[in-house]
Amino acid sequence: MEENAFDVFVIGSGIAGQTVAKSCVEAGLKVAIADNREFGGTCANRGCDPKKILLGAMEAYELSKNLKGKGVTKTPKINWGKLQKYKRNFTVNVPVATERVLKEKGIHLFHQSPKFIDERTLLVEGKKISAQKIVIATGQVPRKIEIKGSKHFKNSDDF
């Protein structure tokens, strides 16, 4: 089994994990980062940022609907397919760009969730990794809410 040693190992590649990893490597530390999903985190790939695009269109629709007959003559129609395509213009490049920036800074990347062997040792991608510090900067996984009508609920993964 291959063994690697790092000063800092970050679990999670969202903005929090990236900030820690970049700060540590800029301070001269040997750093690795891991994520079991696409790099960039929930906010940039399927959460906050893409939500703003979708929500913006809905807000424009609602506002024009509320102002119809008060100076606004027509409520717009939303083409969901085109809106999704527009949203993807922002999200499609996030993982590749995030990985490129991290690699350029000399941060070692792993594409799997590590398993803890002990407080300073991880197993990831078949490699035994030791680290002086391990930072857990993962977000949350959406939880299903078991109530009547919950089949109609959507979360960030759905968008």
Side-chain angles (χ1 to χ4, degrees):
M1 189 182 309
E2 189 177 329
E3 184 163 353
N4 294 293
F6 296 93
D7 297 309
V8 179
F9 192 99
V10 180
I11 303 171
S13 69
I15 194 65
Q18 290 178 54
T19 300
V20 169
K22 290 173 186 175
S23 296
C24 290
V25 84
E26 288 167 7
L29 301 174
K30 185 177 178 187
V31 180
I33 191 168
D35 206 317
N36 67 340
R37 295 182 86 171
E38 67 276 356
F39 271 64
T42 294
C43 195
N45 284 300
R46 64 192 160 277
C48 315
D49 298 345
K51 173 200 73 180
K52 290 173 187 171
I53 293 166
L54 302 177
L55 185 59
M58 292 311 300
E59 287 172 341
Y61 172 82
E62 285 293 319
L63 185 60
S64 66
K65 186 175 148 186
N66 291 337
L67 291 172
K68 191 172 180 184
K70 301 172 188 136
V72 173
T73 58
K74 191 174 179 184
T75 303
K77 293 185 191 270
I78 295 177
N79 182 318
W80 189 253
K82 283 186 176 181
L83 188 59
Q84 286 287 357
K85 186 177 179 183
Y86 177 69
K87 176 199 70 163
R88 280 190 289 279
N89 286 333
F90 294 93
T91 59
V92 73
N93 296 318
V94 169
V96 172
T98 301
E99 288 193 33
R100 182 182 34 71
V101 168
L102 294 172
K103 284 178 185 175
E104 286 172 357
K105 292 200 169 284
I107 299 167
H108 191 93
L109 309 181
F110 290 93
H111 296 87
Q112 188 182 68
S113 287
K115 294 188 180 357
F116 279 85
I117 295 172
D118 60 42
E119 66 184 36
R120 294 188 195 269
T121 313
L122 302 164
L123 182 62
V124 61
E125 294 181 0
K127 299 172 181 90
K128 190 174 177 182
I129 307 294
S130 63
Q132 292 300 307
K133 302 286 182 189
I134 299 171
V135 178
I136 301 173
T138 58
Q140 294 291 316
V141 174
R143 183 177 69 110
K144 286 191 174 200
I145 299 174
E146 300 296 332
I147 62 172
K148 186 178 179 179
S150 64
K151 67 181 180 183
H152 302 290
F153 292 171
K154 300 292 181 202
N155 62 49
S156 57
D157 287 347
D158 298 320
F159 286 97

